[in-house]
Amino acid sequence: MKHKLLLLVCLLITGTSLMAQSTYQWKTASAGGYTYKYVTNDPTKSRFYTLKNEFTVVLSPNPKEPIIEFRLAVRAGSNTDPRTATGLAHYLEHLLFKGTDKFGTMDFVKEKPLLDKIDALYEQYHETTDPAKRKEIYAQIDKTSGEASNYAIANEYDKMMKAIGGQSTNAHTWYEETVYNEDFPSNATDQFLALQAERFRNPIFRIFHTELEAVYEEKNRGLDNDGWKVNEQTGALLFPTHNYGQQTTIGTVEHLKNPSLLEIRKYYNKYYVPNNMVIALAGDLNPDEMIKKVDKAFAYMKAKPFELYNPAPEKPLTQVQKIDIYGPSAESVRMSYRGYAQNTTQSMLLDLISSILSNGKAGLLDINLNKQQKVLSSSAGYQQMKDYGIFTLIAQPKQGQSLEEAQKLLLQQLDILKKGDFDESLIKATVANSKLGLLEAFDKNSFRVESVTNEFILNRAENWDKSLNALDAMAKITKKQVIDFANQFFKDNYVIAFKHKGEDKSIQKVEKPVITPVNTNAGETSEFTKNLLAMQVKPIAPKFLDYKKDLNFGKAGIADVIAVQNKDNSIFNLTYRFDIGAWNYRLQPYAASYLAFLSTDKYTAEEISKQFYNIACSYSFNVSNEVASINISGLQENFDQAVSLVEHIFANCKPNEQALTELKSRILKSRENNKLNKASILSGLTTYAQYGASNPFNYTLSNEEIKNITSDQLVYILHNINNYKHTITYYGPQTLAAFTASISKLHNLPKEFTPEAPAKKFSYAAENGNQVYFADYDMVQSEIRWVRNGGPYNQAWAPKINLFNSYFGGGMGSVVFQTIRESKALAYSTFAVFSSPDKKEKNYTMVAYVGSQADKMNDAVKGMNELLNTLPRTDKAFDASRYNALNAIETSRITKNDIIGAYFSDKKLGFDHDSRMDVYQGLKPLTFGDIKTFHENNVANKAYNYCIVASEKNVKMEDLQKFGTVTKLSLEQIFGY
């Protein structure tokens, strides 16, 4: 399943209009020969059209950059899968990337009989239970698929999207939705619509058995994910009748092994109809012109009657249901309650209650559990679907705490809520913070299309007015209503999931079938693609930054000031940026963590959190290896109050011995949990391979050193941080003069800065032949990462690296993805890139990755090594990669606070100007020969470090020894503690 973006409706429900007490009403208007609906005072200015074939189209103009975001959504997902064929909607989502009878094929007339034969073979396979006969049928499927692939052009869709400038091809399937997302340059609108219209006209399910294997890999990745297991088992108890709990999006192992292409086709014909679909476009568009083009492109679609999933109502839950889940990751406890249908008062109340309990600053869990360090972490949230929602409370136990004790603490917070022991101002504060969130979010085209798409899934967008008005409705909710509802809702009617660390003996992985690599015909092009790419496109000129003009430089005392004026709204972002970090002062990250629990001579730690939440402002002290920053953001009207409060905190925070004792305990517990996280383990292996035993990943305090930290050490760092040299950056409504005058009064600076301690230096490991660094982890899959140091930074290489990554291994249309996944079906996820450093003093790194079933590891390593040593040549793919790289720069617009970030990034690499200028000019003359030479000199036939995380039960040591000299690393060697 393609990654499911988090539901954005929650921000809408807890959000605000950009104008206080606005009236949101549906209105009807006409323009350009089309009638549309809109909601008054809608900050997105969205127009809702219904075409003659009942296709819903939503257009939201936002011409700040020459890019358009696109979503096409179908109101059908795993809920509408046949009970005997779960995972079918998700299969279909994958197949909508395979082309039609016009593209994705060199000769459909010759290809079709073979595809029909494959369909028939899969039906036989589906109906056959005898293992020997199934194996025989699958061998025929494999053979016929290979023959059919002689006429197929794999991933031609992705190549076209790349060629017209698309940067984010993806899709996802969920309970009641399948959503396809893209972005594209606004000058490629005609090409893009022609491609999308053709894509959904007559999809052909080709190259199926290798894509099926990719889904198998995805299932196995889910089996290795303890969070997925908690979700599935919790859902099954919350929804004993509804498909939210009875059918998973990915499907069961049994159903995955027995697909039916005919059933998938039936599903497509039934649900992919215009009266069940929406197109949402936001960005650089003229609605009057765009609707005509969309209408013309999709007019061929015909509305059909259909029935969506209409389940019987769930019976009330009347008891606590407990589940125990085992796996290698950290322990946690999750309490889940079944919520209500979308757009109900009850769901609004649950959403509000989730913020009263947990908002990151002043919620009951934030103040009573997190701030007091009674658990390692805790949170609450409400997830809304169409028919029901799920309210969750989550906690990770601290050192020496049982899951039952953590659960008891969560229940105590619910008791406090029911008794009304919270300030009614929390409701108003939630409104104010949501106002700030939406002020920023609605500026993003991706948020706009996600929001209206989600509305369509939930209620065909009929309640867009109510969603925009939800904040005003929420602001009218009283404390008494919250208390009454909480007492009625939170009873012994929940599912409690205890996630234990231990072996899961119930895992049933999807075994790999025998698959012969198919032909991808990467160098071929269909007539449809030739015609599409031949369409005339008006060029878009790039817009580069001029740091001398786009930035305002000044002084506040002895500190440098860099400012960009915000002329759009009243939001400000202020940063004190220090060029010191954990490599200068190893205690600095711990001081930053300690700060959150400290009081001052005026305010308790809890009062400080509440003050920031009440004025809709935030602050943080962040420490990385080489940089530290104090960040303050919010509404300009509260600027003085927020900055003054931060200055007071750093100057007057007081030691808290109990808080430090708890913090140390939490750090030690977090360290234990880190050792249970396979992603952290792989990251540590990678850094070990780059630098050796002494490296940035394990450069940290020992557990004994953690225990010996004193409050005086940490408070000294906090009291004196502003004495170190720092740059003040500001993005906000004030002019430079007004800002420097304000900040000079508020920010206390010394007469001269304190010299900083020298930073820890790390040396890159010397090449010593192929090495294998192995870490044992209880998992179904194997994670393999190739790593080698690529030499010192060279500014002149930037264009070549940009193009090499695009062509070789940086996306779905790349050589690596085409070969490893599309042709050989060796992995669900794979990439390979020549990674550039963030500072000119650092080295490049060549990194490749494959996540595959453990029993396919040897084949995966062989496949990647072939590509690392020999660069396949496909001229059309190379041309598309170069066009895409150029187009990405031409359509990129760095604005607002990002200008400041770009300036610092370029400065670290030695640029005194926008580095994109050099890349853009350098890309134009590059040929395939240049990229091939780069590959030969820097990638091919080199010694590599193989970083492998897998279970010793599933991989053989003799296989690892074939890759290189094997070193099995302990977790202490990897993590440094």
Side-chain angles (χ1 to χ4, degrees):
M1 179 173 58
K2 305 288 174 69
H3 181 60
K4 172 69 181 82
L5 296 174
L6 291 175
L7 282 179
L8 296 167
V9 70
C10 291
L11 256 181
L12 277 173
I13 292 175
T14 62
T16 179
S17 66
L18 304 185
M19 299 171 62
Q21 298 299 317
S22 295
T23 301
Y24 300 101
Q25 295 180 340
W26 280 111
K27 298 286 186 181
T28 301
S30 297
Y34 288 81
T35 298
Y36 61 90
K37 294 172 64 179
Y38 69 98
V39 174
T40 56
N41 297 309
D42 178 358
T44 71
K45 296 180 173 60
S46 295
R47 294 185 182 183
F48 295 77
Y49 298 85
T50 302
L51 302 180
K52 291 179 181 178
N53 60 3
E54 300 180 44
F55 212 135
T56 299
V57 180
V58 185
L59 304 179
S60 176
N62 186 23
K64 293 186 178 180
E65 57 182 355
I67 295 289
I68 298 174
E69 281 281 345
F70 165 88
R71 298 291 183 274
L72 186 149
V74 186
R75 294 186 85 215
S78 55
N79 275 357
T80 42
D81 281 343
R83 187 55 63 95
T84 57
T86 56
L88 190 149
H90 177 236
Y91 271 148
L92 176 57
E93 172 220 309
H94 279 247
L95 293 173
L96 261 294
F97 289 83
K98 299 300 180 184
T100 69
D101 53 349
K102 290 186 177 181
F103 76 85
T105 183
M106 295 183 289
D107 189 335
F108 187 66
V109 173
K110 293 181 180 178
E111 183 189 22
K112 187 177 187 304
L114 294 167
L115 295 178
D116 291 342
K117 182 178 179 182
I118 293 169
D119 288 357
L121 286 169
Y122 267 112
E123 292 310 302
Q124 291 182 40
Y125 190 73
H126 181 74
E127 300 298 328
T128 303
T129 56
D130 179 74
K133 290 182 179 178
R134 282 174 60 85
K135 189 174 182 180
E136 180 182 324
I137 295 169
Y138 199 87
Q140 294 181 57
I141 290 173
D142 183 62
K143 179 176 181 294
T144 310
S145 296
E147 294 170 357
S149 73
N150 292 327
Y151 303 103
I153 305 174
N155 268 46
E156 192 169 27
Y157 172 82
D158 300 287
K159 295 172 188 173
M160 278 189 279
M161 280 305 307
K162 192 172 187 177
I164 67 175
Q167 303 291 332
S168 62
T169 295
N170 213 329
H172 73 261
T173 306
W174 206 40
Y175 296 125
E176 46 222 351
E177 66 190 67
T178 308
V179 182
Y180 302 86
N181 53 289
E182 301 284 0
D183 66 5
F184 61 96
S186 55
N187 66 342
T189 295
D190 292 342
Q191 291 173 299
F192 178 80
L193 290 177
L195 173 55
Q196 297 306 319
E198 173 58 23
R199 178 191 193 184
F200 291 93
R201 181 187 59 80
N202 182 27
I204 300 301
F205 303 157
R206 57 173 59 89
I207 318 180
F208 178 64
H209 79 317
T210 55
E211 193 62 39
L212 182 62
E213 179 65 5
V215 176
Y216 288 174
E217 288 284 356
E218 194 172 356
K219 177 66 174 180
N220 284 329
R221 289 169 77 89
L223 295 174
D224 282 333
N225 188 314
D226 291 340
W228 280 30
K229 293 185 282 188
V230 171
N231 287 339
E232 287 189 10
Q233 294 187 39
T234 297
L237 294 179
L238 283 177
F239 304 104
T241 299
H242 199 290
N243 281 348
Y244 289 152
Q246 298 309 301
Q247 296 188 178
T248 65
T249 299
I250 196 73
T252 67
V253 170
E254 188 60 32
H255 292 163
L256 287 177
K257 292 191 296 186
N258 291 282
S260 167
L261 283 163
L262 297 183
E263 286 297 323
I264 297 174
R265 174 65 64 181
K266 287 179 184 178
Y267 189 100
Y268 175 82
N269 290 335
K270 181 176 182 180
Y271 295 112
Y272 280 61
V273 292
N275 44 322
N276 193 41
M277 300 168 74
V278 65
I279 286 176
L281 294 155
D284 184 22
L285 60 88
N286 180 319
D288 293 340
E289 295 174 1
M290 182 63 79
I291 190 59
K292 294 176 183 177
K293 294 181 177 183
V294 175
D295 188 10
K296 182 179 179 181
F298 288 90
Y300 70 86
M301 283 192 168
K302 306 298 181 187
K304 298 179 186 176
F306 66 93
E307 280 188 31
L308 285 179
Y309 177 61
N310 186 26
E314 290 281 10
K315 295 179 180 178
L317 298 174
T318 57
Q319 61 182 358
V320 176
Q321 301 177 81
K322 177 176 174 287
I323 52 177
D324 294 284
I325 294 166
Y326 294 85
S329 65
E331 293 181 321
S332 65
V333 57
R334 181 187 299 187
M335 296 172 58
S336 301
Y337 295 81
R338 185 202 300 155
Y340 295 88
Q342 62 87 28
N343 201 44
T344 58
T345 301
Q346 295 98 321
S347 282
M348 180 183 290
L349 280 160
L350 287 172
D351 206 30
L352 174 59
I353 287 172
S354 74
S355 292
I356 292 173
L357 287 169
S358 175
N359 53 57
K361 296 175 189 170
L364 297 178
L365 299 182
D366 303 314
I367 297 297
N368 300 333
L369 298 188
N370 298 339
K371 185 71 74 172
Q372 295 183 32
Q373 303 185 86
K374 291 184 177 180
V375 293
L376 187 63
S377 66
S378 66
S379 62
Y382 186 59
Q383 183 182 49
Q384 186 66 63
M385 290 89 79
K386 182 164 67 74
D387 298 330
Y388 296 98
I390 301 176
F391 190 96
T392 57
L393 296 107
I394 302 172
Q396 280 193 301
K398 65 179 183 179
Q399 194 85 15
Q401 189 176 59
S402 69
L403 292 172
E404 289 80 6
E405 288 170 335
Q407 177 198 3
K408 184 178 179 181
L409 289 169
L410 291 175
L411 287 170
Q412 286 174 0
Q413 301 314 301
L414 289 181
D415 286 340
I416 292 172
L417 175 75
K418 292 182 193 179
K419 293 174 183 176
D421 291 341
F422 63 91
D423 197 316
E424 191 160 9
S425 65
L426 264 179
I427 298 175
K428 293 181 179 179
T430 295
V431 171
N433 281 272
S434 296
K435 174 184 178 182
L436 180 62
L438 279 189
L439 199 62
E440 296 176 302
F442 272 139
D443 197 47
K444 298 180 177 69
N445 293 326
S446 58
F447 183 87
R448 294 185 181 203
V449 291
E450 289 286 347
S451 297
V452 296
T453 297
N454 193 63
E455 282 290 311
F456 182 81
I457 299 303
L458 292 178
N459 53 61
R460 299 193 64 86
E462 293 172 357
N463 296 328
W464 182 242
D465 59 332
K466 294 182 177 63
S467 290
L468 291 173
N469 191 56
L471 180 69
D472 290 339
M474 184 179 286
K476 296 174 184 176
I477 293 175
T478 66
K479 180 177 177 180
K480 183 178 185 304
Q481 285 177 285
V482 172
I483 296 170
D484 290 345
F485 177 79
N487 280 280
Q488 172 263 317
F489 180 78
F490 293 107
K491 298 181 178 179
D492 289 341
N493 55 349
Y494 58 89
V495 175
I496 180 75
F498 288 141
K499 164 59 194 60
H500 306 273
K501 183 186 180 301
E503 182 181 358
D504 184 354
K505 299 180 180 179
S506 67
I507 288 182
Q508 177 191 4
K509 74 171 185 176
V510 185
E511 299 291 343
K512 72 162 186 173
V514 177
I515 292 181
T516 304
V518 298
N519 294 320
T520 61
N521 298 305
E524 300 296 331
T525 306
S526 66
E527 285 300 314
F528 177 87
T529 300
K530 291 177 183 177
N531 293 333
L532 185 95
L533 299 183
M535 295 171 68
Q536 292 297 310
V537 175
K538 184 179 179 181
I540 294 176
K543 287 189 178 181
F544 298 112
L545 297 174
D546 182 338
Y547 292 133
K548 294 179 180 178
K549 294 180 179 178
D550 294 319
L551 295 172
N552 300 299
F553 296 90
K555 280 280 189 179
I558 62 172
D560 291 328
V561 172
I562 303 175
V564 174
Q565 190 173 10
N566 176 6
K567 298 180 181 180
D568 294 331
N569 53 48
S570 59
I571 292 173
F572 78 88
N573 286 282
L574 171 67
T575 299
Y576 307 150
R577 187 183 189 278
F578 306 82
D579 287 326
I580 54 173
W583 290 356
N584 302 86
Y585 302 98
R586 289 204 294 173
L587 288 177
Q588 198 173 59
Y590 304 100
S593 298
Y594 189 39
L595 180 62
F597 309 106
L598 300 185
S599 302
T600 70
D601 53 349
K602 287 185 178 180
Y603 310 112
T604 67
E606 292 76 17
E607 287 171 341
I608 290 170
S609 293
K610 290 177 181 179
Q611 283 196 57
F612 277 108
Y613 195 64
N614 286 338
I615 62 173
C617 290
S618 298
Y619 97 97
S620 62
F621 180 30
N622 302 306
V623 180
S624 63
N625 289 330
E626 299 175 283
V627 176
S629 62
I630 297 172
N631 307 292
I632 312 169
S633 63
L635 298 172
Q636 186 66 38
E637 62 195 72
N638 298 320
F639 177 87
D640 286 6
Q641 188 176 350
V643 175
S644 296
L645 186 53
V646 170
E647 294 288 328
H648 170 75
I649 293 166
F650 277 89
N652 300 286
C653 55
K654 302 186 302 182
N656 183 329
E657 297 303 331
Q658 178 62 33
L660 181 59
T661 299
E662 292 291 348
L663 177 62
K664 291 178 184 179
S665 177
R666 288 176 62 246
I667 290 171
L668 295 175
K669 180 62 175 177
S670 294
R671 288 181 161 201
E672 288 181 16
N673 291 348
N674 289 340
K675 291 181 176 181
L676 304 177
N677 185 301
K678 65 179 180 181
S680 294
I681 295 171
L682 183 58
S683 180
L685 280 181
T686 302
T687 311
Y688 195 103
Q690 288 178 277
Y691 294 91
S694 176
N695 61 69
F697 189 86
N698 63 22
Y699 180 66
T700 186
L701 300 182
S702 67
N703 286 346
E704 192 61 32
E705 288 173 316
I706 292 289
K707 295 174 184 178
N708 292 330
I709 293 174
T710 67
S711 287
D712 287 344
Q713 290 174 310
L714 301 185
V715 171
Y716 178 84
I717 291 172
L718 297 171
H719 283 173
N720 289 278
I721 184 65
N722 284 329
N723 292 329
Y724 291 95
K725 184 178 180 180
H726 57 279
T727 301
I728 302 172
T729 69
Y730 170 78
Y731 171 71
Q734 288 188 324
T735 63
L736 176 65
F739 169 70
T740 52
S742 297
I743 200 65
S744 296
K745 295 175 183 177
L746 298 169
H747 183 44
N748 295 315
L749 285 164
K751 291 182 179 180
E752 60 181 12
F753 288 124
T754 302
E756 68 271 10
K760 168 73 175 178
K761 302 292 184 182
F762 295 95
S763 299
Y764 290 95
E767 181 184 305
N768 190 24
N770 287 346
Q771 301 291 319
V772 177
Y773 296 100
F774 177 76
D776 181 33
Y777 191 87
D778 184 17
M779 58 194 290
V780 173
Q781 289 213 315
S782 60
E783 306 260 358
I784 311 143
R785 188 176 287 174
W786 289 250
V787 183
R788 71 175 303 274
N789 292 321
Y793 176 73
N794 184 341
Q795 280 188 0
W797 282 15
K800 288 181 183 178
I801 292 171
N802 184 306
L803 184 51
F804 171 77
N805 288 340
S806 177
Y807 176 76
F808 183 61
M812 292 176 68
S814 68
V815 168
V816 167
F817 191 89
Q818 290 280 305
T819 306
I820 300 296
R821 173 165 160 170
E822 294 297 304
S823 174
K824 298 182 178 181
L826 293 173
Y828 174 75
S829 179
T830 184
F831 67 85
V833 293
F834 200 81
S835 178
S836 298
D838 63 348
K839 287 182 72 173
K840 62 183 179 180
E841 294 82 7
K842 297 180 182 179
N843 281 7
Y844 293 104
T845 307
M846 181 64 208
V847 182
Y849 167 82
V850 172
S852 71
Q853 290 174 216
D855 55 6
K856 293 195 296 188
M857 183 184 70
N858 292 337
D859 293 336
V861 170
K862 179 182 177 183
M864 181 63 79
N865 282 341
E866 289 172 352
L867 294 173
L868 291 173
N869 291 327
T870 304
L871 181 66
R873 176 168 184 163
T874 307
D875 289 337
K876 293 181 177 64
F878 175 79
D879 291 341
S881 295
R882 183 172 56 188
Y883 179 85
N884 187 269
L886 287 166
N887 187 267
I889 296 174
E890 289 166 351
T891 58
S892 172
R893 299 292 183 264
I894 299 176
T895 61
K896 303 181 180 181
N897 202 38
D898 292 339
I899 299 174
I900 299 173
Y903 169 77
F904 281 113
S905 294
D906 279 340
K907 188 177 179 181
K908 287 165 67 176
L909 291 171
F911 291 95
D912 61 2
H913 59 277
D914 188 340
S915 60
R916 295 176 302 157
M917 295 180 187
D918 299 38
V919 176
Y920 187 71
Q921 293 303 324
L923 280 168
K924 293 179 179 179
L926 290 179
T927 65
F928 180 81
D930 296 318
I931 301 306
K932 189 174 189 297
T933 300
F934 180 86
H935 179 269
E936 290 171 348
N937 292 340
N938 299 285
V939 178
N941 302 305
K942 307 291 184 184
Y944 278 89
N945 299 298
Y946 296 77
C947 304
I948 301 175
V949 180
S951 171
E952 284 185 320
K953 297 179 293 185
N954 297 329
V955 297
K956 299 176 181 178
M957 196 56 60
E958 53 264 35
D959 288 337
L960 301 183
Q961 290 168 349
K962 295 174 184 176
F963 308 150
T965 304
V966 178
T967 302
K968 181 181 177 182
L969 294 176
S970 68
L971 294 177
E972 185 174 353
Q973 287 175 295
I974 295 170
F975 287 90
Y977 49 78

